[in-house]
């Protein structure tokens, strides 16, 4: 089956966004890129501080509420609809719920060709990137580094601890049909 969607899952500051940009450069066809940050940024500011929406604790823990889940479900279905309409899509995700998060995507993408990619990075390296970025809550990278992979099944994994985004993107591109 032709790959229509590439789902990258990894913790905050693991290098997913860099890989996405490189994938768009190395893949022969145009691919649209969407990430969980796109979803959060599209939400009203009031949902970024409410228990019904998404909350970012001072220690980096992220919790989501029912209104977030409702909008997330619509967003996931929208991305699946774009792929069904002929767009090729790369998704930059953080599976806060591990296998349950993947199951939500699998349900929406069921009939599509999907390449599931785990993006791993040593928690200390990710934490260093988080500090250098300056736009993340300290502790988010370390808390998510392993949690997002629990129970998730991948077609392949890459590790950005010592591997550059371009090399990871080339490895992923080699698995795209």
């Amino acid at each position: 089956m032709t790959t229509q969607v590439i789902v990258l899952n990894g913790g905050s500051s693991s290098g997913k966004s860099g890989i996405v940009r490189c994938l768009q450069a190395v893949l022969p066809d145009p691919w649209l890129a969407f990430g969980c940050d796109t979803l959060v940024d599209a939400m009203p500011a009031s949902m970024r501080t409410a228990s019904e929406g998404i909350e970012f604790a001072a220690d980096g823990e992220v919790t989501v509420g029912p209104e977030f889940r409702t909008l997330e479900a619509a967003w996931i279905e929208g991305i699946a609809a774009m792929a069904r309409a002929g767009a090729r899509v790369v998704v930059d995700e953080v599976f806060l719920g591990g296998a349950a998060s993947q199951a939500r995507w699998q349900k929406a993408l069921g009939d599509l060709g999907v390449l599931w990619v785990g993006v791993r990075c040593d928690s200390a390296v990710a934490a260093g990137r988080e500090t250098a970025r300056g736009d993340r809550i300290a502790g988010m990278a370390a808390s998510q580094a392993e949690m997002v992979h629990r129970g998730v099944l991948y077609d392949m994994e890459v590790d950005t601890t010592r591997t550059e985004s371009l090399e990871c993107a080339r490895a992923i591109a080699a698995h795209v049909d």
Side-chain angles (χ1 to χ4, degrees), residues 6-168:
I6 301 170
V7 178
L8 303 178
N9 174 52
S12 179
S13 299
S14 63
K16 298 178 307 297
S17 298
I19 292 171
V20 169
R21 287 188 298 276
C22 291
L23 277 169
Q24 288 180 306
V26 301
L27 288 167
D29 299 313
W31 287 72
L32 298 176
F34 296 99
C36 52
D37 290 343
T38 310
L39 171 63
V40 172
D41 290 344
M43 292 181 177
S46 62
M47 283 195 59
R48 288 183 232 138
T49 58
S51 61
E52 297 82 23
I54 185 167
E55 291 184 296
F56 301 93
D59 65 356
E61 182 182 356
V62 180
T63 55
V64 298
E67 288 184 24
F68 177 90
R69 286 285 182 232
T70 298
L71 292 175
E72 177 192 44
W75 182 71
I76 291 170
E77 288 294 335
I79 289 174
M82 284 188 285
R84 284 188 191 93
R88 296 181 96 178
V89 182
V90 183
V91 179
D92 168 347
E93 254 294 0
V94 178
F95 288 169
L96 294 173
S101 296
Q102 185 179 34
R104 286 192 289 279
W105 278 98
Q106 286 171 322
K107 182 180 176 192
L109 302 174
D111 61 329
L112 298 167
V114 181
L115 180 64
W116 298 94
V117 181
V119 179
R120 295 193 179 266
C121 182
D122 178 81
S123 63
V125 172
R129 292 176 185 167
E130 174 181 75
T131 300
R133 289 173 70 159
D135 66 348
R136 296 285 189 252
I137 298 167
M140 191 180 295
S143 72
Q144 294 176 2
E146 291 302 320
M147 172 189 67
V148 300
H149 299 291
R150 286 191 194 125
V152 178
L153 301 175
Y154 299 113
D155 297 308
M156 67 175 298
E157 295 186 33
V158 294
D159 189 327
T160 66
T161 304
R162 290 176 200 79
T163 307
E164 294 296 322
S165 296
L166 183 57
E167 187 177 337
C168 291

